[in-house]
Amino acid sequence: MTTRIERLVTSGQFTLDGGTWDVENNVWIVGDEREVIVIDAAHDAQAIAEAVDDRVLKAIVCTHAHNDHIDAAPALADLTGAKIWLHPDDLPLWKLTHPDRDPDNHLSDGLVIETAGADLTVLHTPGHAPGAVCLHEPGLGVVFTGDTLFQGGPGATGRSYSHFPTIIDSIRDKLLTLPPETKVLTGHGDPTTIGAEAPHLAEWIARGH
């Protein structure tokens, strides 16, 4: 069976530091006809469950714990029986949205999450959030970057729990070392590649310290 990547776009709101913004999020589903994982259960557990359909949902992996990336995670877990994975450094952010429900498992740098022939390696990439991670699958030639890297530059670092020099270090050390043809699948908006972003990122890195 062929491993494939599906994108579902869900709409909702991002709330932090007393502000609220309307957002659209990419929910990534990775797997085959039998089993999948979901990367970032955003906004609409029912829509995500319908996209998963009758396949086994092996894991709900959170790239970070901003509310717009995790708000539907507990409901999706309840619908499917899947476990929620989060890096422990993002537990303070998680608790802002889900004070009465902990993630089930902890992500760590170098951990490999397997599903349907795909091996997703966790890259701890703090900066946008302390526990932000990216997920690299060299066999598929992709990296899921959450809000760490977008088309046009790094994720935002102007709010609580974020730090610009840290995100620049993460991108330089963990992402720019990947093959330039690696497809970057982001938490919001359109895909890009490591090679396409590298020239712009050199300017950001120069500003980073």
Side-chain angles (χ1 to χ4, degrees):
M1 294 186 184
T2 304
T3 304
R4 63 180 186 264
I5 298 167
E6 303 159 38
R7 177 168 75 161
L8 174 68
V9 178
T10 59
S11 300
Q13 293 184 321
F14 166 53
T15 301
L16 188 65
D17 297 340
T20 297
W21 300 265
D22 292 333
V23 289
E24 289 191 335
N25 287 63
N26 293 327
V27 179
W28 298 102
I29 302 171
V30 184
D32 61 15
E33 294 83 5
R34 296 171 302 157
E35 62 182 36
V36 295
I37 68 163
V38 162
I39 300 170
D40 288 345
H43 307 309
D44 192 335
Q46 191 63 46
I48 301 168
E50 289 173 6
V52 170
D53 199 20
D54 60 356
R55 295 174 289 183
V56 175
L57 181 55
K58 292 189 66 178
I60 301 164
V61 183
C62 307
T63 62
H64 61 295
H66 284 152
N67 75 287
D68 57 319
H69 292 257
I70 63 164
D71 50 3
L76 183 62
D78 290 344
L79 283 170
T80 62
K83 302 297 187 185
I84 300 169
W85 291 74
L86 178 76
H87 194 285
D89 289 356
D90 258 21
L91 283 171
L93 274 169
W94 172 274
K95 289 294 189 183
L96 296 177
T97 303
H98 301 300
D100 300 319
R101 166 73 154 90
D102 287 336
D104 301 295
N105 296 310
H106 288 167
L107 299 171
S108 58
D109 192 65
L111 178 74
V112 177
I113 296 175
E114 301 176 13
T115 182
D119 295 325
L120 293 151
T121 300
V122 175
L123 309 176
H124 182 210
T125 52
H128 181 69
V133 302
C134 299
L135 301 163
H136 179 222
E137 215 303 341
L140 297 174
V142 300
V143 60
F144 299 90
T145 57
D147 287 1
T148 294
L149 178 63
F150 292 106
Q151 187 180 69
T157 53
R159 301 188 182 98
S160 296
Y161 301 96
S162 63
H163 189 243
F164 180 68
T166 301
I167 201 171
I168 293 301
D169 287 348
S170 293
I171 290 169
R172 183 193 64 213
D173 297 342
K174 297 289 182 68
L175 299 182
L176 289 185
T177 55
L178 301 178
E181 66 273 15
T182 303
K183 195 169 187 179
V184 176
L185 302 180
T186 57
H188 310 268
D190 294 328
T192 182
T193 66
I194 294 294
E197 298 310 310
H200 314 299
L201 289 167
E203 300 173 19
W204 286 95
I205 290 167
R207 279 190 258 167
H209 295 280

